Amino acid sequence: MLRDRRRARTFRTVLNRRHPSAHSARRRANPINSDLRDLIEDPRFLAYHRERAKPREFNTFDVLQYADYEIRHSNVLAWLLRPGDTHGIGARFLRWFVDHVNGRLPAGDRVRVLDNSFEQANVDVWRERERVDITIRFKREKCLIAVENKLESASSDHLGQVMGYDRMLRGKHENHTVGSVLLSASADGSVKFPDIAHVGWDSVGGAIGSILADGGFSTPGVQAFVGQYVDMVDRWLRPAGGEGCKALLEDHRSVLKEMRRVLEKDGDDGVRGMVPDRAEHRDSLVRLVRESRHDPKELRSAADGHLKGRGLKPTYSHNSRAGVYWLGWKDSTMVDAVQSMGGHRGSLSWSVVFSHHKVELVFYFYGKSTEERSFVDSLKSCLEKTPINRQKPDGYCVWNDGYGYEGVYHKKILSHEDLVEMSAPEAKDQLIQRLKDFMDSDDSEYRRIDDYFQCLAFGFEAA
């Protein structure tokens, strides 16, 4: 009997070698093997694998966790646009940017400049002037380029915001040509807005990378800084856990569900054992299976229950295309403080932001009407004079987050690495615990911010 079984196995091996189609047919009969092969051969998985397999080098921006801060990107961009700044490339990037924008503006709004227009004395580059992220002015030519910088995909809401700035600038600078630009994470030219130039961060990063490749920057230190910045922008635009990964997880959800069962039962080695002929892809596959355990909507639901248990009334919004979900709330004592100062109850708010690769907590100022904006501006003035935390003044840099919101404080609750390492139940438990620790601790920034505005309201009433 044993001899017969051995002969049968030998016969099957020979048959597979001589007739691979018979072997393929049997593989198709096993849906897990077939679906798993489809996943591994998906170009999106191969791109995910290449990113994860590539050795990571030291990057200052990774250490400082600046990739998601709009204000930091605007600062670097403004620095590169100033012809006389310390980068040493003169007007090279500014020339490229003006040409690129002009190609996307209506003829009447194009910046008409000559070669000598780019000299340092003729160019101003401002940050947050009249609430615009970046403004470029050519003095002799009386031309303005207003840039609104967004780190997410372009939307109709962004169009409304840029159009508002455009009308304001045209009203204040009647003798100037005004060109308005939306800079976003959407591909260059993929969004058509009337009377507005849409520029993609992909093009901006490519232009900076070209100057870098030519060795155009002034010193090795600047060259290294810009190299790290370009690398960070490239990874930010095409994150292994970004929109492409979201679609990959959705399209292969059946086989990933089966692999998650193997992961929970047999650990990482169980998942690796499912791909004996693709050893080079095993670690990336394990990481993808781990990432697939987390649904930002489920994490938001867990946080929602916790906040309601504290007597709060959360609000909800989302961008399903980008896979981002928001959970907002207003602290009652802070609402009382704001209203006692004459502000709107929604002028200050907290929000937890959920995506497939992180969970963050943000404190916002909000003001859409002229009256609300005036109140918010007065609060910003107070922050400049008396910081919330003098020992960490950089932790409270105000940045424009769009739709009338301005971020004041930012804290990462669960990082990408946290989510990869945690199971779905562990992530929910840790999310609740970290929220609880942050909101209940006497020495946390949550309590410090609350106390700050109560004291501000007390001083306002006493005056």
Side-chain angles (χ1 to χ4, degrees):
M1 184 67 69
L2 180 60
R3 188 183 300 116
D4 289 342
R5 286 201 296 271
R6 287 174 177 168
R7 286 175 179 170
R9 282 199 299 272
T10 302
F11 174 75
R12 284 196 299 272
T13 301
V14 173
L15 179 65
N16 289 339
R17 289 173 180 169
R18 293 182 179 177
H19 303 282
S21 60
H23 177 62
S24 299
R26 276 199 310 280
R27 289 190 66 86
R28 285 194 297 272
N30 186 333
I32 294 179
N33 285 343
S34 174
D35 291 346
L36 181 53
R37 187 170 295 276
D38 289 343
L39 167 60
I40 294 174
E41 293 175 355
D42 190 311
R44 293 167 299 183
F45 173 76
L46 296 177
Y48 176 92
H49 166 70
R50 285 193 298 272
E51 176 63 29
R52 288 301 173 195
K54 184 171 62 178
R56 290 282 295 277
E57 298 180 358
F58 168 78
N59 190 303
T60 304
F61 296 95
D62 290 338
V63 177
L64 297 177
Q65 297 182 356
Y66 278 175
D68 300 325
Y69 283 80
E70 181 182 290
I71 189 173
R72 313 301 185 192
H73 289 279
S74 295
N75 287 343
V76 174
L77 192 60
W79 172 67
L80 291 169
L81 287 167
R82 294 187 183 105
D85 222 320
T86 53
H87 43 67
I89 59 174
R92 184 172 174 180
F93 180 67
L94 175 63
R95 288 177 183 274
W96 172 87
F97 190 77
V98 171
D99 287 344
H100 199 71
V101 167
N102 272 340
R104 287 149 183 80
L105 281 173
D109 294 330
R110 291 172 186 166
V111 178
R112 305 192 183 280
V113 292
L114 302 173
D115 282 346
N116 64 353
S117 300
F118 293 92
E119 62 190 24
Q120 179 180 347
N122 190 46
V123 179
D124 287 323
V125 179
W126 296 311
R127 282 280 292 113
E128 294 294 343
R129 189 182 182 93
E130 297 170 309
R131 302 196 189 103
V132 178
D133 287 332
I134 300 172
T135 305
I136 306 167
R137 182 179 70 157
F138 291 89
K139 300 176 186 177
R140 289 193 300 269
E141 293 75 12
K142 296 187 183 304
C143 294
L144 293 175
I145 297 179
V147 183
E148 182 62 24
N149 177 23
K150 297 297 178 188
L151 302 188
E152 65 267 16
S153 300
S155 71
S156 58
D157 291 318
H158 299 152
L159 171 61
Q161 187 177 2
V162 177
M163 288 298 292
Y165 291 149
D166 186 83
R167 288 190 295 270
M168 178 269 294
L169 289 172
R170 291 178 189 275
K172 287 190 173 184
H173 305 277
E174 295 179 356
N175 61 339
H176 281 64
T177 300
V178 177
S180 294
V181 181
L182 172 63
L183 174 60
S184 83
S186 295
D188 196 47
S190 63
V191 182
K192 305 299 182 184
F193 289 147
D195 305 325
I196 288 177
H198 172 249
V199 177
W201 261 104
D202 201 20
S203 295
V204 170
I208 300 171
S210 295
I211 299 173
L212 180 72
D214 292 343
F217 291 96
S218 59
T219 66
V222 174
Q223 187 87 356
F225 169 84
V226 176
Q228 292 181 14
Y229 181 73
V230 169
D231 175 67
M232 183 267 291
V233 168
D234 186 64
R235 287 188 283 109
W236 157 58
L237 287 170
R238 285 168 286 278
E243 289 187 30
C245 181
K246 177 177 177 285
L248 181 68
L249 296 175
E250 178 64 24
D251 292 345
H252 297 278
R253 61 183 180 278
S254 178
V255 67
L256 286 167
K257 182 178 180 180
E258 182 62 33
M259 297 179 80
R260 286 197 297 272
R261 293 195 189 101
V262 173
L263 179 71
E264 300 305 326
K265 179 183 177 184
D266 301 322
D268 293 355
D269 288 340
V271 175
R272 293 188 180 98
M274 298 178 74
V275 283
D277 57 340
R278 297 293 183 93
E280 71 278 15
H281 293 137
R282 288 173 186 165
D283 289 343
S284 296
L285 194 61
V286 168
R287 188 176 185 92
L288 184 70
V289 174
R290 285 177 168 274
E291 290 192 37
S292 75
R293 295 180 294 187
H294 302 290
D295 183 341
K297 289 182 290 186
E298 292 183 1
L299 286 171
R300 183 175 70 170
S301 178
D304 181 42
H306 175 70
L307 294 178
K308 286 179 177 176
R310 301 176 70 99
L312 299 170
K313 297 179 180 178
T315 57
Y316 319 93
S317 59
H318 69 278
N319 182 338
S320 56
R321 181 177 178 272
V324 181
Y325 299 81
W326 288 268
L327 179 67
W329 77 93
K330 297 171 181 63
D331 184 275
S332 60
T333 57
M334 196 175 293
V335 168
D336 292 341
V338 167
Q339 291 181 323
S340 71
M341 290 187 283
H344 187 268
R345 72 180 312 274
S347 297
L348 308 179
S349 63
W350 287 93
S351 180
V352 186
V353 187
F354 303 84
S355 69
H356 280 277
H357 48 285
K358 62 185 174 182
V359 178
E360 302 173 294
L361 191 146
V362 184
F363 178 62
Y364 289 107
F365 287 164
Y366 176 77
K368 202 163 189 179
S369 69
T370 302
E371 182 181 353
E372 290 170 345
R373 287 299 321 164
S374 177
F375 178 71
V376 166
D377 286 344
S378 68
L379 291 181
K380 290 164 62 178
S381 178
C382 288
L383 284 181
E384 291 176 3
K385 295 176 182 176
T386 308
I388 294 176
N389 187 343
R390 292 184 182 276
Q391 294 179 329
K392 299 178 181 178
D394 290 343
Y396 289 90
C397 294
V398 179
W399 70 95
N400 192 326
D401 210 25
Y403 320 114
Y405 290 93
E406 294 188 76
V408 179
Y409 173 78
H410 172 279
K411 178 180 178 62
K412 193 165 288 185
I413 300 295
L414 291 175
S415 68
H416 192 188
E417 293 302 321
D418 288 333
L419 291 174
V420 169
E421 294 300 322
M422 296 175 184
S423 67
E426 287 172 336
K428 291 178 183 178
D429 290 344
Q430 278 298 307
L431 169 65
I432 300 305
Q433 186 59 51
R434 294 182 188 186
L435 275 176
K436 187 175 183 299
D437 290 344
F438 180 73
M439 297 173 75
D440 291 343
S441 174
D442 285 337
D443 61 354
S444 77
E445 296 301 292
Y446 187 81
R447 188 62 57 85
R448 185 189 297 272
I449 291 170
D450 189 60
D451 290 346
Y452 179 89
F453 287 101
Q454 287 191 60
C455 291
L456 196 62
F458 177 78
F460 185 88
E461 291 173 350

